[in-house]
């Protein structure tokens, strides 16, 4: 017996609650309105109560690539403990910060959320170490970047519909990601993707510092000279707190002062925008940002993290392991593409075996990559005897 369909009494919704009316009521003129969207590659009827950007957010959230972010490392690997961020929790933090900024500036929060959930979906296993390893493998075959791969996942790898590949996202969400994959294009992007980019950077600086302190890769003494930490000390009684409280106080104050500064400075820039619309603020080149003094302190923190965390011997070890495993899996699968899953074998003819193998490897979680390495490389020596 067929199930009755659930009917939602939309007739009872007040007209002011339609997404079109909500946008008209809440958004600033310079926001990207969903009603002005350039649409999708494959046209679809409007949804009754979700805007096109809300639908994009849901499609990304329900994609298999998004779920796999829970099994991909951000900076620290799963065997280092359970406290630190994964690629998924990083993404959620970025989305939260970006939505706060977007709502305060009266930008399109639904678009921001969709782009934030998409922004790191193309990360391969083992974070930036994995990305560098894949890039080295396919540098002569188009190269590999996680930003470009996110677009590829969204447009031709994820399977959601029977008549075409991909998630059929709106032009605006795809163009936001396109900007991330081609930042040297010299174009000024939509304000909403500028917000996602800034939130990404505020989130990873703060949480990488938090995780590195918790894991004992850094100590408090090393931080004392940093401009941002000195700013925090003026606002938060770090020295009177326990070790754990002190770390948490540092991180949330660090986020607060950067968010406050970004919002204050950006509001000053947007005051000039007046009644300009989304395209016009891009045309006049408005770039949302922190004050130059805060930006300079932020860059000092990033240099510090680069020297003392990302190059820490424990992470160099991770980098070497990731490079070895991905490189060997790449070479084996390139030599024996019949070991690829069926749909990837079909893509080999269309995309070339090199790119297809890179795509297959990039989709893996850290654990699956390790399992495949053991199964195909360590236990499959006979298969691989002529490539080692
Ligand atoms: Mg990110």
């Amino acid at each position: 017996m067929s199930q009755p369909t659930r009917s939602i009494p939309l007739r009872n919704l007040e007209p002011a609650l339609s997404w079109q009316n909500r946008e008209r009521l809440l958004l600033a003129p310079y926001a990207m309105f969903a009603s002005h969207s350039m649409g999708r590659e494959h046209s679809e009827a409007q949804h009754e109560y979700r805007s096109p950007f809300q639908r994009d957010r849901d499609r990304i959230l329900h994609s298999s690539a998004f779920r796999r972010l829970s099994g991909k490392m951000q900076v620290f690997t799963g065997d280092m403990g359970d406290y630190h961020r994964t690629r998924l929790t990083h993404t959620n933090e970025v989305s939260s910060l970006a939505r706060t900024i977007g709502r305060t500036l009266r930008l399109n929060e639904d678009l921001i959320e969709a782009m934030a959930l998409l922004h790191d979906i193309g990360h391969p296993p083992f974070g930036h170490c994995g990305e560098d390893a894949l890039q080295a493998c396919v540098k002569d075959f188009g190269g590999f970047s996680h930003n470009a791969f996110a677009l590829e996942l969204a447009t031709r790898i994820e399977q959601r519909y029977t008549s075409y590949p991909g998630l059929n996202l709106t032009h605006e969400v795809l163009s936001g990601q396109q900007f991330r994959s081609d930042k040297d294009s010299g174009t000024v992007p939509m304000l909403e993707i500028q917000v996602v980019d800034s939130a990404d950077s505020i989130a990873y600086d703060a949480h990488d510092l938090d995780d590195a302190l918790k894991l004992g890769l850094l100590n408090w003494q090393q931080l004392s000279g940093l401009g941002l930490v000195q700013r925090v000390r003026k606002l938060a009684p770090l020295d009177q707190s326990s070790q754990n409280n002190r770390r948490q106080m540092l991180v949330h104050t660090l986020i607060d002062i950067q968010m406050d500064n970004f919002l204050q400075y950006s509001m000053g820039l947007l005051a000039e925008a007046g009644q300009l619309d989304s395209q016009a603020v891009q045309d006049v080149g408005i770039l949302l940002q922190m004050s130059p003094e805060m930006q300079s302190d932020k860059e000092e923190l990033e240099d510090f993290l680069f020297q003392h965390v990302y190059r820490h011997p424990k992470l160099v070890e991770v980098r070497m392991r990731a490079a070895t495993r991905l490189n060997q899996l790449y070479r084996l699968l390139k030599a024996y593409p019949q070991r690829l899953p069926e749909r990837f074998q079909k893509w080999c003819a269309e995309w070339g075996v090199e790119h297809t193998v890179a795509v297959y490897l990039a989709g893996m979680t850290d654990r699956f990559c390790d399992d495949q390495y053991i199964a195909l490389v360590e236990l499959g020596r006979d298969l691989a005897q002529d490539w080692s």
Side-chain angles (χ1 to χ4, degrees):
M1 205 170 93
S2 64
Q3 294 287 318
T5 45
R6 195 166 66 104
S7 91
I8 299 168
L10 292 180
R11 288 187 306 281
N12 296 337
L13 281 180
E14 292 293 329
L17 291 180
S18 74
W19 61 263
Q20 293 92 337
N21 282 347
R22 284 179 65 86
E23 289 195 344
R24 274 194 289 272
L25 282 168
L26 297 173
L27 301 190
Y30 46 73
M32 178 66 224
F33 286 66
S35 49
H36 300 165
S37 168
M38 290 170 69
R40 308 174 188 279
E41 184 181 354
H42 306 280
S43 62
E44 296 175 12
Q46 290 281 14
H47 192 276
E48 200 161 0
Y49 52 89
R50 285 185 302 155
S51 80
F53 300 147
Q54 285 179 284
R55 297 174 82 183
D56 286 351
R57 174 205 59 201
D58 296 343
R59 287 169 196 201
I60 297 160
L61 188 65
H62 290 278
S63 67
S64 52
F66 184 82
R67 286 193 298 283
R68 283 200 294 271
L69 294 177
S70 68
K72 297 193 181 203
M73 59 174 262
Q74 176 70 16
V75 173
F76 307 104
T77 56
D79 52 12
M80 290 173 153
D82 294 331
Y83 176 84
H84 56 266
R85 277 72 174 174
T86 64
R87 192 62 61 179
L88 179 65
T89 57
H90 160 73
T91 297
N92 287 335
E93 291 187 26
V94 172
S95 176
S96 164
L97 296 182
R99 287 177 56 194
T100 298
I101 296 171
R103 193 181 295 192
T104 311
L105 298 179
R106 296 174 56 213
L107 293 169
N108 196 318
E109 205 176 320
D110 296 328
L111 174 58
I112 285 173
E113 188 178 14
M115 293 193 297
L117 297 188
L118 184 69
H119 91 283
D120 267 355
I121 208 169
H123 258 291
F126 309 122
H128 287 284
C129 317
E131 178 166 21
D132 293 345
L134 282 181
Q135 163 61 12
C137 291
V138 292
K139 63 180 189 303
D140 297 329
F141 302 94
F144 178 86
S145 94
H146 76 273
N147 282 318
F149 184 52
L151 277 173
E152 203 173 343
L153 282 165
T155 55
R156 66 179 188 178
I157 296 174
E158 282 289 325
Q159 299 289 323
R160 185 185 178 93
Y161 306 102
T162 50
S163 43
Y164 47 80
L167 301 175
N168 201 29
L169 302 177
T170 59
H171 168 82
E172 290 72 26
V173 168
L174 294 175
S175 73
Q177 186 60 32
Q178 179 65 48
F179 163 75
R180 287 180 57 83
S181 76
D182 188 18
K183 284 194 177 169
D184 299 328
S185 66
T187 57
V188 172
M190 270 180 305
L191 297 177
E192 280 82 356
I193 192 67
Q194 294 186 35
V195 167
V196 173
D197 247 25
S198 299
D200 187 23
S201 169
I202 293 172
Y204 62 63
D205 286 349
H207 66 50
D208 291 351
L209 188 59
D210 181 17
D211 292 348
L213 280 167
K214 175 73 176 176
L215 287 166
L217 306 187
L218 290 177
N219 62 57
W220 286 90
Q221 199 86 38
Q222 291 172 280
L223 309 183
S224 56
L226 292 170
L228 272 179
V229 175
Q230 286 165 7
R231 285 177 191 257
V232 169
R233 279 188 190 283
K234 288 181 189 159
L235 298 168
L238 293 183
D239 298 327
Q240 298 160 27
S241 307
S242 70
Q243 190 84 345
N244 268 354
N245 286 347
R246 197 197 310 182
R247 196 183 65 252
Q248 281 156 10
M249 199 180 286
L250 169 72
V251 171
H252 73 70
T253 312
L254 202 55
I255 293 173
D256 272 351
I257 58 175
Q258 291 179 86
M259 292 282 280
D260 285 353
N261 184 279
F262 181 87
L263 283 166
Q264 290 291 345
Y265 201 77
S266 297
M267 279 174 185
L269 296 169
L270 287 171
E272 313 275 310
Q275 293 302 306
L276 295 181
D277 68 12
S278 175
Q279 184 58 54
V281 290
Q282 285 176 248
D283 294 343
V284 298
I286 290 183
L287 284 171
L288 304 179
Q289 56 197 289
M290 296 176 185
S291 67
E293 302 76 32
M294 186 66 84
Q295 186 58 36
S296 158
D297 281 354
K298 184 167 166 44
E299 281 162 19
E300 180 195 35
L301 171 62
E302 289 179 348
D303 288 344
F304 173 85
L305 288 170
F306 185 77
Q307 293 298 335
H308 298 279
V309 177
Y310 309 137
R311 285 185 169 182
H312 193 280
K314 279 193 176 174
L315 293 189
V316 171
E317 206 179 294
V318 172
R319 169 174 289 273
M320 288 172 65
R321 194 180 63 178
T324 303
R325 294 192 164 194
L326 282 166
N327 181 274
Q328 295 208 37
L329 276 171
Y330 171 80
R331 291 171 61 204
L332 183 140
L333 290 167
K334 185 181 163 185
Y336 298 92
Q338 63 273 24
R339 300 300 300 260
L340 289 166
E342 204 176 310
R343 74 177 176 135
F344 287 85
Q345 289 183 38
K346 286 182 192 153
W347 286 334
C348 282
E350 206 180 325
W351 304 346
V353 65
E354 294 83 3
H355 183 73
T356 307
V357 171
V359 162
Y360 176 57
L361 295 174
M364 292 179 176
T365 58
D366 302 347
R367 181 195 54 77
F368 187 73
C369 187
D370 281 339
D371 289 351
Q372 289 298 297
Y373 176 80
I374 291 165
L376 294 179
V377 179
E378 288 189 348
L379 303 178
R381 288 275 177 211
D382 55 329
L383 179 80
Q385 59 190 341
D386 61 348
W387 59 269
S388 58

